[in-house]
C-alpha cells in the first residue's frame, strides 16, 4: 500500500479504478431512483439483507437456495446451518454499528466476531495469538503471524479513523481485502470481512439504505474468482490491487442489479 498521507486515495488513482467507481455509482443510482424505493424502501432493505446473508454464507461453505434461507428457523444443528445463522446475525448487526465504526473500528470487528461465533470462549472477540489455529478452510493463502496481524489491524484502524478522500468502493475493498488477508480471528473471518465491507458501504453514504448487497455479487462471481481477486490484493502490486477493487465494484453492481429486480417484481405485483 502507498506510503502517502492518504494511501486509500492513492489506490483510487490506480488505472481502471475511477471507471469502476463511476460504474458502481450509476448502478446504485438506478436502484435509488426506482419508483418502488420511494414507497417501499424498507421492504427492499429487508430483502437485500436476506440475500446478502445468503451470499456471504455461500462463500463460507453454506450455499443454500434463497427459499431455504427464508424457510429455515434452525441454525445450530450442523456446520452449514451454523454458518448461515452467523451470516444472518452479522447482516442484522452491521447496521447497528455504524456510529462506532469511525471512532473505534477494532471494537466493531471484535463485536462482529462475537456475533458470528455466538460463543463465550476466550478466543472469541479478540485477535488470534501465536499458536492458535484458524478455521478458515476456503482461504489457503499464507497466514500472517500474530505480530503482523496486530500491526496491520492498528494501521487499518488508523486509516479509518483518520478518514480519506478515497471513494467508498476503495475503502470498502481495502477493509474487506485486509481482513481476508490477515484472518485476524480464529474463525468466521470471511463472514466478518464481508460484514465490515457492508458497514463501510452503508456508513459512507454510498448505500445508506443497504439495498446494494455486495455479498450477493461476490457469491455470483463465484468462489474461484473471489479467491483469484484476493490473491491480487495480497500481492500488493498496483495491478493486483486494482483488480481486487474492480472485483468488489462488480460485486456491488450485481447486488444493485439484484435489488432492482426485486423492485421490478414488487412493481409488477402492485400494478
Amino acid at each position: 500500500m502507498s506510503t502517502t498521507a492518504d494511501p486509500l486515495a492513492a489506490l483510487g488513482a490506480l488505472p481502471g479504478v475511477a471507471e469502476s467507481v463511476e460504474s458502481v455509482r450509476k448502478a446504485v443510482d438506478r436502484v435509488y431512483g426506482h419508483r418502488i424505493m420511494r414507497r417501499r424502501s424498507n421492504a427492499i432493505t429487508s430483502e437485500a439483507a436476506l440475500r446478502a446473508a445468503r451470499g456471504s454464507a455461500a462463500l463460507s461453505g453454506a450455499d443454500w437456495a434463497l427459499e431455504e434461507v427464508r424457510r429455515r428457523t434452525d441454525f445450530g444443528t450442523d456446520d452449514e446451518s451454523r454458518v448461515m445463522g452467523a451470516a444472518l446475525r452479522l447482516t442484522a448487526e452491521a447496521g447497528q454499528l455504524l456510529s462506532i465504526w469511525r471512532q473505534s473500528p477494532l471494537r466493531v470487528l471484535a463485536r462482529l466476531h462475537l456475533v458470528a461465533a455466538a460463543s463465550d470462549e476466550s478466543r472469541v472477540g479478540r485477535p488470534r495469538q501465536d499458536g492458535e489455529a484458524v478455521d478458515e478452510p476456503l482461504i489457503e493463502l499464507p497466514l500472517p503471524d500474530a505480530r503482523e496481524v496486530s500491526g496491520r489491524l492498528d494501521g487499518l484502524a488508523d486509516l479509518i479513523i483518520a478518514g480519506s478522500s478515497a471513494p467508498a468502493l476503495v475503502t470498502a475493498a481495502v477493509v474487506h481485502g485486509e481482513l481476508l488477508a490477515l484472518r485476524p480471528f480464529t474463525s468466521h473471518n470471511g463472514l466478518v470481512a464481508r460484514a465490515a465491507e457492508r458497514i463501510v458501504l452503508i456508513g459512507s453514504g454510498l448505500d445508506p439504505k443497504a439495498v446494494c448487497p455486495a455479498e450477493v455479487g461476490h457469491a455470483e462471481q463465484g468462489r474461484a474468482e473471489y479467491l483469484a481477486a484476493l490473491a491480487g490484493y495480497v500481492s500488493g502490486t498496483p495491478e493486483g490491487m486494482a483488480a481486487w477493487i474492480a472485483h468488489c465494484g462488480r460485486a456491488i453492481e450485481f447486488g444493485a442489479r439484484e435489488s432492482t429486480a426485486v423492485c421490478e417484481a414488487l412493481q409488477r405485483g402492485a400494478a
Side-chain angles (χ1 to χ4, degrees):
M1 194 177 296
S2 170
T3 56
T4 62
D6 190 348
L8 294 177
L11 291 177
L14 290 173
V17 170
E19 290 81 357
S20 293
V21 169
E22 179 62 19
S23 185
V24 165
R25 170 52 65 189
K26 288 179 179 178
V28 172
D29 285 348
R30 279 194 293 273
V31 179
Y32 279 84
H34 199 286
R35 60 183 297 184
I36 288 294
M37 280 293 294
R38 294 194 293 271
R39 296 186 284 116
R40 300 190 63 182
S41 65
N42 288 343
I44 306 302
T45 295
S46 295
E47 184 65 19
L50 187 71
R51 295 177 186 227
R54 185 230 160 253
S56 190
L59 288 168
S60 286
D63 192 359
W64 292 9
L66 182 62
E67 290 311 311
E68 179 76 357
V69 182
R70 205 187 302 278
R71 180 184 66 82
R72 289 280 289 272
T73 57
D74 54 321
F75 296 107
T77 56
D78 55 67
D79 287 346
E80 284 197 9
S81 64
R82 281 191 285 271
V83 168
M84 185 61 69
L88 288 164
R89 291 192 299 273
L90 284 173
T91 303
E93 185 76 9
Q96 310 302 313
L97 299 171
L98 298 174
S99 62
I100 306 172
W101 175 253
R102 284 294 300 272
Q103 285 74 42
S104 185
L106 297 185
R107 180 180 163 197
V108 169
L109 294 176
R111 174 62 185 169
L112 291 175
H113 189 237
L114 280 166
V115 169
S119 167
D120 59 1
E121 293 183 14
S122 61
R123 298 177 299 171
V124 173
R126 61 154 175 81
R128 57 185 169 81
Q129 300 172 358
D130 281 333
E132 290 182 329
V134 175
D135 181 14
E136 203 70 44
L138 301 177
I139 299 176
E140 299 178 350
L141 294 167
L143 194 67
D145 63 27
R147 175 181 288 186
E148 182 177 351
V149 168
S150 178
R152 287 172 63 174
L153 279 179
D154 286 344
L156 182 64
D158 289 345
L159 286 176
I160 299 301
I161 293 168
S164 172
S165 61
L169 167 61
V170 173
T171 303
V174 168
V175 168
H176 185 171
E178 192 71 357
L179 292 174
L180 285 179
L182 294 176
R183 280 146 292 162
F185 302 109
T186 56
S187 64
H188 300 92
N189 290 287
L191 294 173
V192 168
R194 291 183 288 275
E197 179 186 51
R198 180 179 183 82
I199 289 172
V200 174
L201 295 173
I202 299 170
S204 67
L206 176 63
D207 183 21
K209 294 184 182 293
V211 295
C212 302
E215 301 93 332
V216 168
H218 288 304
E220 187 169 332
Q221 292 178 85
R223 190 177 299 151
E225 190 168 333
Y226 183 66
L227 295 178
L230 175 62
Y233 176 87
V234 172
S235 76
T237 65
E239 297 80 8
M241 299 290 283
W244 170 251
I245 293 168
H247 174 90
C248 292
R250 288 191 297 274
I252 299 167
E253 290 182 55
F254 288 150
R257 184 179 68 186
E258 184 98 346
S259 286
T260 299
V262 172
C263 287
E264 292 293 329
L266 287 174
Q267 183 167 281
R268 287 192 299 273

